[in-house]
Amino acid sequence: RALVIATGAMGRPPTFKNEDVYLGKGVSYCATCDGAFYRDSEVAVFGNNMEAIEEAAFLTKFAKTVHWITSQDPKFETDEHAADLLATPNVKHWSQTRMLSVEGDGEGVTGVKIRRKGAEEETLEVEGVFIYVAGSKPITDFLTGGQVTMQDDGGVAVDDEMCTNVPGVFAIGDIRNTPFKQVVVAASDGCIAAMAIDRYLKGRKTVRVDWIHQ
């Protein structure tokens, strides 16, 4: 028998007022997934971590303007990724700015309320809001007893065939805490695990490749 662990990861609770109300209606946590929907639109990105910077850079390919909102600024003199993002013509940086709430109507997001340090509250008109605060946490609380080896970052450790340290136990998808949390990645993990499980159940210990580069 074989067991596949695919419980995924749990997102953080909403941080901002109305964030949950407009989730999927203008609020997103994945620019790679939803960025193309905002071609020639005004969008906001909140966060100063690497994920926020990378996602904001991706959005510059589609959005008219990417409003990058940071309550605490990265160290631009040492962070070349942040510096490159600021050098992009369609990026506007809202430095030392708090995002207070997401605003919208029956059709979706219409803006965000923000407050710059030492300034009055104002509304920034955008059609999309991409929020990167605390990421997600692999759901592994049921793996007690220490039988399955975990990585330092909280994900389940697997080999190239998605097998854990326990023979016959495989793990796929976001529970591995990979940097690329996409459906296609999880599906690829599942395909690899399925083929590895077939070999495992049939008692085959090696895989014969079709072609070897010399």
Side-chain angles (χ1 to χ4, degrees):
R1 291 183 288 182
L3 172 68
V4 178
I5 305 172
T7 48
M10 180 179 295
R12 59 175 181 77
T15 301
F16 306 102
K17 182 180 178 181
N18 296 330
E19 177 183 338
D20 55 341
V21 174
Y22 293 104
L23 180 60
K25 300 178 182 178
V27 172
S28 175
Y29 308 128
C30 179
T32 308
C33 310
D34 301 328
F37 294 118
Y38 297 94
R39 190 176 298 275
D40 299 323
S41 300
E42 303 278 330
V43 301
V45 174
F46 182 85
N48 64 351
N49 52 33
M50 182 55 66
E51 184 180 18
I53 294 170
E54 291 177 346
E55 296 282 86
F58 181 83
L59 284 167
T60 61
K61 302 175 183 179
F62 304 99
K64 179 181 180 181
T65 306
V66 176
H67 297 272
W68 183 27
I69 305 169
T70 58
S71 53
Q72 295 181 335
D73 298 340
K75 296 180 179 180
F76 299 110
E77 64 275 10
T78 58
D79 191 332
E80 60 181 28
H81 299 286
D84 288 344
L85 178 61
L86 285 182
T88 307
N90 61 334
V91 172
K92 180 177 181 180
H93 184 211
W94 296 78
S95 175
Q96 295 185 312
T97 301
R98 292 175 56 202
M99 192 167 84
L100 306 176
S101 65
V102 179
E103 302 299 309
D105 55 26
E107 296 184 359
V109 168
T110 59
V112 292
K113 282 188 178 181
I114 58 175
R115 181 185 290 129
R116 274 182 162 173
K117 185 177 181 180
E120 295 294 324
E121 179 182 304
E122 59 183 300
T123 298
L124 179 62
E125 294 185 357
V126 296
E127 296 177 39
V129 186
F130 294 80
I131 302 171
Y132 304 98
V133 178
S136 57
K137 179 181 179 182
I139 301 173
T140 59
D141 54 323
F142 60 94
L143 295 176
T144 58
Q147 290 180 303
V148 176
T149 299
M150 309 296 291
Q151 301 174 148
D152 293 337
D153 60 12
V156 174
V158 298
D159 60 17
D160 290 342
E161 296 183 352
M162 304 299 143
C163 187
T164 68
N165 63 300
V166 180
V169 178
F170 299 76
I172 63 174
D174 288 355
I175 197 172
R176 300 198 298 115
N177 204 26
T178 64
F180 307 109
K181 294 177 174 60
Q182 301 290 321
V183 172
V184 67
V185 176
S188 174
D189 288 356
C191 180
I192 293 170
M195 292 187 289
I197 289 170
D198 179 68
R199 181 171 60 85
Y200 171 78
L201 294 176
K202 292 179 178 178
R204 294 170 54 201
K205 295 183 179 181
T206 59
V207 176
R208 181 179 179 181
V209 296
D210 295 326
W211 180 75
I212 299 175
H213 180 71
Q214 298 292 340

